[in-house]
Amino acid sequence: MTATLSAPPAATKFSGKTKLFINNEWCDASDGGTFDTYNPATGEVIAQVAHATPHDVDLAVKAARKALDKGPWSRIDACDRGKLMFKLADLIESNAEELARLEALNCGKTITDSRGDLNGVINTIRYYAGWADKIEGKTVPVRGNFLSYTLRQPVGVVGQIIPWNFPLLMAAWKWGPALACGNTIVMKAAEQTPLSILRVCELALEAGFPPGVINLLNGMGETTGDAMVTHPGIDKIAFTGHVDTAKLITRRAAETLKRTTFELGGKSPNVIFADCDIDQAVAGSFHAIYFHGGQCCTAGSRLFVEESIREEFVAKLAEKAKKRRIGNQLDEQTEQGPQVSQEQLDKILGYVELGQKQGAKLVTGGKRGNDGKGFFVEPTIFDNVKDEMAIATDEIFGPVVSVLSFKDADEMLERANNTQYGLAAAIWTKNIDKAHWYAKHVKAGTVWVNCYHIVDTTTPFGGFKNSGQGRENGEAALDHYTETKTVTVALAKA
Ligand code: NAI
Ligand code: MG
């Protein structure tokens, strides 16, 4: 491996807030419990964070309920909700560099990627701030002498459970539509990455959100998360994470019949036709799999390459992979930081072993990087992969791509769709007919033609099949944060 590894950083101290944020107050967990959070580049503990108990969840739900039912949140004008959100976006923008560094430190993403995330966060909050006073009902031409109209009202107290790969961006995707529609929020950040969102709660306080509108609990999924999922005072759960966790949440939320929306994993087919611009497709496919060390639900992890160019394509991809600069995430030169945790590192290396055992050809990578310090994995390419191998069917969530060869387009499409997932898909070709044919028939919530990972706050994002339920971003997300009420008025005779 020729990539240069920069030295691990000096230990970084964290001196910000680590408590629970309930009803605009910072408090310890009711049992005083905490958990450690790490810098994944070194494995060193950077802070101890309050671990919310079910009792704390209950306190947060009560605060959120009060803000909604009795408090100011349901009474303020919609445009004023929007103003508060614009204020929050401005404050995030003024503190963007600090937030980007904190996010990188805790999550392992490169400082460059982290700055990109912050742009997305600001855009998302502003986009939904603009929606706050544009959520309209309809007048409906009913039979009889009546006037019927619809009102779109908040779902209520929404529980939002987010993962560690894009902590602040996932928070923004969930806060944005929830706040615009007038809901109140109880959020749980991922246990791996609690820090940046704590800082944003400070900014929300500064922006002037009333008590109880935004509550943040940190903690484990099985304890804090489950207490949210089963709490009768939470009306909806919005979740991003693993498919199996979503299935468990569905079962656990059934008792209180909560609304649920899910954004889950993927094994996205990235298809390369021989008539593409090869260098552009190599660069795009490289970004598709290695962006954020493959820790992306949309990662282009199944790389279908037309057989006539496969050898050349794989050679060019491997050449780039070998040159990737892996290192400390806060180093400006770094292109790939550490994976988020020991658990993820073990999972990825386990799949590399399995891939070799099942007969795939390891072209490059496959090893732990940085001499065993921190959670680094080399960019990895497997060739000669068969559809039924574990590395072709399972979400690895790391920098590992499986190259699958094809000759016939119809057969390729059938194979591309032969997965439990349906989050994203891409095609590289200069032939417009092929591009639209694929876009129409591939089963995925997002399709990219000659590009990859283009996600914008204005466009709906979500999954077919086991990749999710509902949509985030765009106008589509508003449907999941409103209830529709029909009002019918008997009209007096003139
Ligand atoms: P996970 O699904 O366990 O965790 C995601 C969030 O759900 C975290 O906040 C966690 O605390 C919470 N959670 C976990 N169990 C819960 C429960 N029983 N009730 C309520 N909340 C619960 O995912 P994890 O363990 O972090 O990662 C495992 C795999 O999941 C990854 O390797 C990857 O394949 C996939 N994943 C997919 C993501 C995506 O963007 N779609 C994001 C993160 C993980
Ligand atoms: Mg888990």
Side-chain angles (χ1 to χ4, degrees):
M1 154 123 188
T2 55
T4 47
L5 298 172
S6 52
T12 317
K13 288 206 173 61
F14 177 73
S15 55
K17 294 274 190 272
T18 54
K19 297 191 177 194
L20 311 176
F21 185 66
I22 299 176
N23 208 28
N24 275 5
E25 281 166 18
W26 296 100
C27 43
D28 290 316
S30 53
D31 65 357
T34 61
F35 64 95
D36 293 337
T37 189
Y38 303 89
N39 173 357
T42 60
E44 284 169 345
V45 175
I46 44 179
Q48 266 105 25
V49 177
H51 185 174
T53 65
H55 177 66
D56 299 318
V57 171
D58 191 48
L59 293 177
V61 172
K62 286 195 170 115
R65 177 63 55 196
K66 192 166 163 228
L68 193 74
D69 292 348
K70 299 204 172 74
W73 195 237
S74 44
R75 310 222 168 115
I76 73 168
D77 288 341
C79 62
D80 290 330
R81 284 204 308 268
K83 264 192 205 162
L84 281 169
M85 295 173 71
F86 278 120
K87 182 89 193 288
L88 176 62
D90 290 348
L91 285 168
I92 293 174
E93 193 166 47
S94 334
N95 293 278
E97 182 60 19
E98 177 205 337
L99 284 164
R101 295 189 77 79
L102 184 55
E103 187 86 312
L105 173 72
N106 200 192
C107 167
K109 64 176 58 204
T110 66
I111 183 63
T112 312
D113 288 348
S114 199
R115 289 182 188 126
D117 281 13
L118 260 294
N119 281 336
V121 169
I122 296 158
N123 290 341
T124 302
I125 304 280
R126 285 200 179 125
Y127 171 78
Y128 283 108
W131 265 114
D133 59 359
K134 296 171 193 67
I135 297 162
E136 299 170 347
K138 289 180 176 173
T139 54
V140 188
V142 283
R143 288 182 181 82
N145 198 22
F146 301 99
L147 165 67
S148 279
Y149 60 92
T150 59
L151 295 172
R152 293 179 70 193
Q153 298 188 323
V155 171
V157 175
V158 299
Q160 304 185 320
I161 300 177
I162 56 170
W164 43 262
N165 51 344
F166 295 86
L168 280 181
L169 193 60
M170 291 303 101
W173 284 18
K174 291 192 169 38
W175 284 15
L179 294 171
C181 297
N183 300 273
T184 55
I185 293 171
V186 177
M187 171 167 277
K188 190 192 88 62
E191 55 270 33
Q192 297 84 352
T193 53
L195 300 182
S196 54
I197 304 167
L198 284 162
R199 178 73 184 106
V200 170
C201 284
E202 283 188 274
L203 300 177
L205 194 57
E206 194 180 331
F209 281 90
V213 175
I214 295 169
N215 303 277
L216 176 71
L217 306 169
N218 278 307
M220 302 300 136
E222 301 71 27
T223 52
T224 316
D226 188 66
M228 290 168 61
V229 170
T230 52
H231 197 295
I234 291 185
D235 299 294
K236 167 198 164 84
I237 291 285
F239 167 82
T240 300
H242 196 271
V243 177
D244 291 344
T245 315
K247 288 180 184 170
L248 178 62
I249 288 176
T250 302
R251 287 193 292 272
R252 299 286 290 160
E255 202 51 46
T256 48
L257 216 59
K258 285 183 177 50
R259 281 114 187 85
T260 48
T261 45
F262 296 129
E263 200 272 279
L264 310 172
K267 192 75 188 176
S268 299
N270 180 27
V271 174
I272 317 295
F273 276 97
D275 63 8
C276 70
D277 174 328
I278 291 198
D279 289 336
Q280 188 198 19
V282 167
S285 304
F286 187 83
H287 179 59
I289 185 63
Y290 299 126
F291 173 54
H292 192 17
Q295 301 171 121
C296 273
C297 47
T298 48
S301 51
R302 279 190 301 152
L303 182 56
F304 286 91
V305 187
E306 195 163 355
E307 179 54 30
S308 58
I309 59 161
R310 186 181 55 84
E311 239 171 75
E312 178 190 356
F313 197 91
V314 171
K316 287 188 162 174
L317 197 68
E319 198 184 318
K320 277 176 83 66
K322 285 176 189 154
K323 286 191 193 137
R324 188 141 170 98
R325 282 198 296 269
I326 305 179
N328 185 263
Q329 66 271 34
L330 290 169
D331 183 333
E332 297 284 343
Q333 307 306 314
T334 294
E335 293 169 335
Q336 185 180 307
Q339 310 304 127
V340 75
S341 64
Q342 181 76 49
E343 188 186 348
Q344 290 300 308
L345 176 80
D346 293 344
K347 175 179 169 180
I348 296 162
L349 294 178
Y351 273 109
V352 170
E353 207 183 312
L354 198 55
Q356 287 170 288
K357 235 186 239 164
Q358 294 186 342
K361 178 182 165 202
L362 181 64
V363 177
T364 187
K367 290 198 289 296
R368 187 174 180 177
N370 206 27
D371 299 328
K373 287 189 280 300
F375 310 134
F376 295 89
V377 180
E378 295 174 348
T380 303
I381 300 173
F382 275 109
D383 199 1
N384 298 344
V385 179
K386 300 282 167 282
D387 292 2
E388 59 284 357
M389 291 179 184
I391 56 169
T393 58
D394 297 2
E395 184 179 57
I396 300 175
F397 229 60
V400 181
V401 69
S402 296
V403 178
L404 300 140
S405 160
F406 74 93
K407 285 184 183 152
D408 174 80
D410 287 315
E411 182 220 302
M412 176 278 295
L413 180 69
E414 209 177 303
R415 291 166 60 203
N417 281 334
N418 186 19
T419 163
Q420 64 163 319
Y421 296 112
L423 193 62
I427 178 168
W428 301 81
T429 177
K430 284 187 178 158
N431 181 324
I432 196 169
D433 297 338
K434 274 186 203 162
H436 286 295
W437 163 83
Y438 179 74
K440 180 171 179 187
H441 295 292
V442 71
K443 295 196 177 91
T446 293
V447 182
W448 290 299
V449 178
N450 295 327
C451 59
Y452 211 99
H453 285 319
I454 305 298
V455 174
D456 192 84
T457 182
T458 56
T459 49
F461 180 86
F464 283 31
K465 300 191 273 181
N466 282 3
S467 286
Q469 273 174 24
R471 291 292 177 270
E472 300 196 279
N473 286 345
E475 186 176 358
L478 302 173
D479 292 342
H480 303 296
Y481 284 95
T482 49
E483 293 282 7
T484 300
K485 181 184 281 179
T486 299
V487 180
T488 298
V489 184
L491 297 175
K493 289 214 173 80

